[in-house]
Each structure stands twice: as C-alpha cells, then as structure tokens.
Amino acid sequence: MPHNRDAPLVARRHLDGAYFLLSFRHPEVARQAQPGQFVMIKAGTAAELPLRRPFSVMSVDPPQETFTLFVKAVGAGSRALTLLEPGETAQCLGPLGRPFDPPAAGVEALMVAGGYGVSPFRMFAVVLQRDSRPGRLFYGGRTALDLQEREPFAGLGVPVHPATEDGSVGRRGRVTEALEEYLDGQARAVALYASGPDAMLHAVARIAERRALVAQLSLDPWMGCGIGTCLGCVVSIQEADRPQPKLRCACTEGPVFDAHTVVWPGESSSAARRRKLQEVSA
Amino acid sequence: VNLAVELAGLRLKNPLLAASGTFGYGVEYEGILDLSLLGGLVSKGLYLEPREGCATPRIAETPSGLLNAIGLQGIGVRGFVRDVLPRLSRYDTAVLVNVCGDTVQEYAEVSRIVDGAPGVAGIEVNISCPNVERGGIVFGGDPRLTFEVVAAVRNATRLPVIPKLSPNVADITVFARACEDAGADALSCVNTLLGLAVDVESRKPRLAFGTGGLSGPAIRPVAVRMTWQAARAVRLPVIGIGGIGSAEDALEFLIAGARAVQVGTANFVDPGVYERILAGLAAYLERHGIDDINELVGTLEFPRPLAPRHA
C-alpha cells in the first residue's frame, strides 16, 4: 500500500553533469519497494505546482529507512529535487506501480537501459544476486557521461555491456545493437527487461517480437497523480485474447508491461494479438 | 469552531469537496487518505456508456497550471452505481455524481439512473468540459442550451442539481441566471479555462487533442472573480473551484461569496491537502474570533460601488 509522507533528504551526491544520487528517508518505500516500482515526489510547498514527478526507486536501505533515486536534472521538477539540502523535505508517495516479474529459473535476465533508465535495474540486480539468477546489463546513452553508476553492477555479478552513440565508452552505436549482437552469439534462455526512452523501448519490443522472447518494458509517460485518478498516463495495451486494445494507467497497471501487449503509436494491435491471429489462421 | 455548511439541501461537515475529474471515483484514494475527512466528493464525469477519452499525451504542465485533455474517459454511470457506490457508502462524506451527455436526453437518462441509486447526495451537471466534440462546453457556452440541459436534469431527479459553469464565456452571470431559471439548486464555479500549449520543436500542440483545459493556481484569480460575480447575480449558493491548494486559497473563494469549495488539481500534487486546509481554516477562524465559517461567506469589502446584488 503506498504511503504519503514528507521525506527528508538524507544524502545528495552530485555525479557528472546533471546526474545526482538523492537519498530520502521514507520507511514504507525503504521496506516495501520492489524492482521497477516508483515514487511520486516533489520538492517545495505541498500543493503548489509543479506536479510530483515519477522516479523509479534505484536502491533501498531498510535498516536506515531510506531509498535512493538516480535523478537527471532536466526540468523544473527534477531540478528542484536536486537543489534540496540534506534535512530539507520532499513530499513523497510510494511505493507505486507494478514491479518487474523475476525471470524463471535458469533464464538469464537481460536488462536494457537508456541513460537514467538504469535506475530500477540496480535494485533488480540485487534481487537477482540474492536469488542466484544470472543477469546482464546493456547500458546505452549518447556519450560516456550518460552511463553513470556502472561500477556497482559488476559487484553484483552483472556484466555490463556499454554502448554510446559517440563511441566514448563501449560499443559505438545503439544499445539495442549491442543486445542483438549478444543474442546472435548465444543460445541460452533469456528474458528482456527494458527501461529508457520510448524509441529504445520500442526497439526492444521489436527485437522481442522478432525473436519470440519474453520481455517486460518499464514505460515512462507523463504522469499527473501516480494513483490512477488523473488518467493522464494511459497507454494502449492489448492482450492476445482481447479483440480490442484497452487503455491502462501506467501508474497503477504498469509502469511495467509485457512488451508484446503494448500497442505503439501508429499501430492498430499488439504483437501478442498479431501472433495469436497468425496462429489461428495457420 | 463550526466548519459545517448547508447548501442546496446538502449538509456537508466541512466546505471542502473533491472536484470532478481530479479524484477519480474516490475509491482510488482508499488507504492513502481518509475519505471521511472530506465534506464531499464529486465523481469523474459519467455518461450512460463507458468512454475511452482522448489520445495521449493528455496532460502538460504550464506555469502554475496543468493543461489537460482527458476527454471524459470513464466507466459509465451503471458501472459506477454497481461497482463504486457500495464502496463509498463506508465513508462519512457526501457523494455527488458529475453527469455528462452528448444530448439533452442522455443528461436526463444518466440523471434518472443516479436518482434511483442509494448513497448519492446530489448531481453536478457537466456543461463545461472543453475536451469533447459534443456535449460539455457546447451546452455551457449557450445560455439557451444551458437552460435546456439543466431543466431536463431538474425534471429527471429530486436530488440537488448543481450545474458546473464554464469560465470560457464573456459574462458568467447570464449563465448563472439561466441555471437559476431552469431550477438549479446551486452552481459550481468554474471548470477549466480553454488553453493551447505549443511544442515549438515539432510545431504541434503539446496535447494530442490540440486544445485543453487549464487548471491549477494559474486560474485562481479568474475563478475567484467569476465566483464573486455569480454569487452576486443569483440567489443560488455557489461552490467555488479553481486552483485551491491551501486554507488561504479556500478562504478567498468563501469571502468572495462561495458557500463551499472544491479542491481539484491539488489532489494530484498532495493527497494530504484536505488535512492541511481543514487545519488552516480552523486556525484562521480562531485567529479572527469567528465561531462559524458561514459568517465569512460573501464578506468581501469591495473598494468601489457596485450594482445591487441579484439585480
């Protein structure tokens, strides 16, 4: 059950560029958050705009009752958070949303992250290590600056495959190209997990469709409330056995969705539905 | 101090209601806040049938404001009566239903269904949604159609009838009088202001629907002014709405003539908003030596002479 409370900032670390690690005290989020869940959080006076912003929880520390967010200061909401001083409070509601489903036994979790989309995968890597499940991170961005916080993954037994568009670190090109290269070279059972910009999520969904792989996407539409009342964050989702897509709130029914059920802009049905119709006609 | 108010036959334990479209069907907030704190809540707008609403993006933040074009996505009035009303009966709060229609007949039909359902305290008539092709603001932008819809709802129910007025008109008093003449019991003032936000990179609107309704603190002075005008123009009690997020904001509306207020966009920003406003109202009354919040209503001292009220 999500809990709304003032959450004092307990630590702030400025990484390179506009990237920050911000830790807040919030016992319920610290104890209950699962990988892929998020908080709605804002700095400043409670009921004044801007709206709270959704951020995936990067890590939790239950004994300290704290959680950490990986924040890129890009707009009014995120920038205000990064300007908080330790001791000052943010208003925070969480944990919210549907988490990632863990991979089945013997299945390698292939995590695909774009920029600060890496956030939920830190928690996910901790859980994978705890459950002795293999994992691997494909981490992409425009430049080396966008690939912050890679080191902790190695310590969690998760190899990192970096990719940058300018080639400043790792493979030059898109992160999905690095993923496809890996998929081409091995035959073990894998499940894809993706978090990042829409174009990257869509590319991962196409790979999953083409190769018939299990895949989950953490979608990141604009959210107003986080609890399903504003209906601002709806996405078109179509399960295989439904004739029509249905609008689902990314905040309460996501943000994690089966990649095969997502109906992308310009498409009329989901991959799951298309496959089902193919099977029926075959 | 007394925070209870009575208007249009409604007894509210305090003057705070949750505004339609910003509070879902109320049950979404179970576990996050105590719904019994509220004087009342107004459901998301309901038609006869479920609705899908607009394409996305549906919301965009603007300076001190929120621009939205949701398009009245909803579960339909029968789904609400069947699935939601029984859950709301557990709470000590007045439940109002926001009624929509593509046609006058649909408004009346939805109202009849609501009238027969247990646990409903009143009907708010949505003649002001700017984000639908038919209905909504089409009715609320023409005084004759406003009269027609409100009269049809009036004939369909014995519940209090509360039209929600649009601010997208030159003279809101004309519409307030049309509602009064049609037999309304109170007025909700106001819905969102029609707006347009442009993405300069793509040269497209930031919302998929194109235009949207502006809410939040950005519209508060406009809403206070219209509430004040409407309250002076008719004998009906007025419920003030527009950018309320603090006790001081609510007091502005009450002093300008509102008998109660609705909290809208602030629900998204802070689920703790009711607790804060109620504490702030009580503290204000004590500080000013006022026993009863009703004594504040319409006490605005205006700096220049005005035409008599209800002229």
Side-chain angles (χ1 to χ4, degrees):
Chain A
M1 186 58 84
H3 206 93
N4 182 48
R5 63 163 70 242
D6 285 352
L9 183 78
V10 293
R12 179 181 65 180
R13 213 173 106 214
H14 186 185
L15 308 168
D16 282 342
Y19 292 98
F20 291 79
L21 291 176
L22 305 176
S23 298
F24 297 91
R25 177 162 291 119
H26 190 308
E28 292 81 9
V29 172
R31 282 197 293 266
Q32 296 163 21
Q34 303 292 317
Q37 286 193 301
F38 67 99
V39 296
M40 291 294 287
I41 188 167
K42 80 185 287 275
T45 319
E48 276 171 17
L49 294 170
L51 296 165
R52 296 186 189 200
R53 300 287 193 259
F55 287 95
S56 292
V57 177
M58 180 183 232
S59 61
V60 293
D61 187 340
Q64 295 294 318
E65 302 189 325
T66 62
F67 70 90
T68 298
L69 301 180
F70 180 41
V71 176
K72 184 180 186 187
V74 288
S78 53
R79 196 170 306 117
L81 274 180
T82 64
L83 293 174
L84 284 174
E85 295 291 339
E88 293 181 318
T89 59
Q91 286 83 46
C92 178
L93 174 67
L96 297 163
R98 191 191 134 190
F100 289 115
D101 292 331
V107 172
E108 184 176 39
L110 302 184
M111 297 168 270
V112 189
Y116 57 90
V118 77
S119 189
F121 292 138
R122 172 83 72 82
M123 253 186 107
F124 201 31
V126 171
V127 170
L128 291 172
Q129 187 186 46
R130 184 197 66 196
D131 298 344
S132 308
R133 298 281 160 85
R136 198 170 281 278
L137 175 69
F138 298 83
Y139 191 1
R142 260 181 310 189
T143 177
L145 191 66
D146 300 314
L147 271 60
Q148 302 285 333
E149 293 293 292
R150 301 197 293 279
E151 300 74 20
F153 284 93
L156 293 163
V158 170
V160 179
H161 299 240
T164 49
E165 284 169 34
D166 66 359
S168 52
V169 64
R171 188 187 200 285
R172 180 192 291 269
R174 297 219 166 93
V175 67
T176 42
E177 292 162 6
L179 171 69
E180 294 233 62
E181 198 172 75
Y182 177 77
L183 291 170
D184 288 340
Q186 59 88 53
R188 69 188 299 185
V190 297
L192 306 184
Y193 298 86
S195 166
D198 280 351
M200 187 204 87
L201 296 178
H202 195 177
V204 171
R206 280 191 299 249
I207 292 168
E209 181 180 4
R210 208 165 52 240
R211 296 173 182 259
L213 299 173
V214 171
Q216 293 176 41
L217 310 178
S218 175
L219 302 186
D220 185 23
W222 265 94
M223 283 185 189
C225 67
I227 58 173
T229 64
C230 80
L231 305 178
C233 69
V234 293
V235 287
S236 184
I237 297 292
Q238 186 177 30
E239 281 97 25
D241 48 5
R242 273 184 179 273
Q244 297 295 328
K246 207 168 160 4
L247 294 176
R248 305 241 182 234
C249 279
C251 61
T252 51
E253 300 173 274
V256 175
F257 290 98
D258 177 344
H260 300 281
T261 66
V262 177
V263 181
W264 297 91
E267 292 181 352
S268 58
S269 68
S270 66
R273 178 73 185 164
R274 289 194 293 274
R275 195 175 57 223
K276 166 109 176 179
L277 292 175
Q278 263 176 9
E279 284 165 11
V280 170
S281 64
Chain B
V1 294
N2 175 51
L3 290 179
V5 298
E6 274 192 55
L7 65 139
L10 290 172
R11 284 209 180 130
L12 308 177
K13 62 170 139 189
N14 65 60
L16 304 185
L17 300 107
S20 182
T22 64
F23 208 67
Y25 304 108
V27 291
E28 294 88 339
Y29 281 92
E30 282 182 323
I32 295 173
L33 66 86
D34 178 8
L35 294 175
S36 296
L37 278 173
L38 281 63
L41 64 88
V42 191
S43 78
K44 173 91 182 147
L46 291 162
Y47 289 87
L48 273 180
E49 302 300 329
R51 286 247 174 167
E52 281 274 276
C54 298
T56 57
R58 292 174 160 190
I59 57 174
E61 208 171 273
T62 60
S64 296
L66 177 65
L67 194 68
N68 88 79
I70 308 296
L72 292 172
Q73 179 183 337
I75 59 175
V77 67
R78 293 186 187 91
F80 176 80
V81 168
R82 186 185 60 234
D83 301 332
V84 180
L85 268 182
R87 283 171 71 184
L88 288 176
S89 68
R90 287 179 232 154
Y91 302 98
D92 177 22
T93 192
V95 176
L96 286 83
V97 178
N98 184 282
V99 165
C100 304
D102 282 342
T103 61
V104 174
Q105 290 73 20
E106 186 174 8
Y107 279 99
E109 182 63 28
V110 175
S111 299
R112 266 191 290 276
I113 294 170
V114 171
D115 184 74
V120 178
I123 288 179
E124 185 174 75
V125 191
N126 188 341
I127 50 169
S128 43
C129 177
N131 301 324
V132 288
E133 304 276 0
R134 288 172 294 169
I137 202 170
V138 177
F139 290 110
D142 177 331
R144 281 199 310 198
L145 291 176
T146 294
F147 178 91
E148 218 180 302
V149 172
V150 175
V153 173
R154 171 75 289 159
N155 288 331
T157 182
R158 289 158 306 164
L159 292 168
V161 173
I162 309 171
K164 184 168 179 178
L165 299 183
S166 172
N168 303 300
V169 296
D171 183 358
I172 198 165
T173 65
V174 173
F175 294 84
R177 286 195 202 97
C179 291
E180 186 169 52
D181 293 345
D185 299 293
L187 301 172
S188 290
C189 276
V190 288
N191 207 314
T192 52
L193 271 81
L194 192 58
L196 173 64
V198 176
D199 179 336
V200 297
E201 295 302 320
S202 66
R203 300 190 208 173
K204 288 178 181 166
R206 285 171 63 193
L207 299 180
F209 187 68
T211 53
L214 183 64
S215 65
I219 74 163
R220 195 189 310 130
V222 178
V224 172
R225 184 264 299 174
M226 288 191 146
T227 297
W228 172 70
Q229 287 179 312
R232 287 180 53 81
V234 291
R235 290 171 206 286
L236 302 179
V238 174
I239 303 171
I241 320 167
I244 295 173
S246 70
E248 193 172 285
D249 303 340
L251 287 163
E252 277 199 64
F253 282 89
L254 296 173
I255 292 166
R259 301 271 291 275
V261 296
Q262 293 181 14
V263 176
T265 305
N267 288 310
F268 301 147
V269 194
D270 179 20
V273 64
Y274 296 96
E275 230 167 322
R276 280 195 300 102
I277 296 182
L278 289 172
L281 290 178
Y284 175 90
L285 293 179
E286 274 169 33
R287 186 154 53 83
H288 287 265
I290 301 169
D291 299 331
D292 183 345
I293 196 153
N294 293 286
E295 287 171 29
L296 271 176
V297 173
T299 55
L300 181 70
E301 290 182 33
F302 203 72
R304 55 191 165 81
L306 293 162
R309 288 169 70 99
H310 313 304

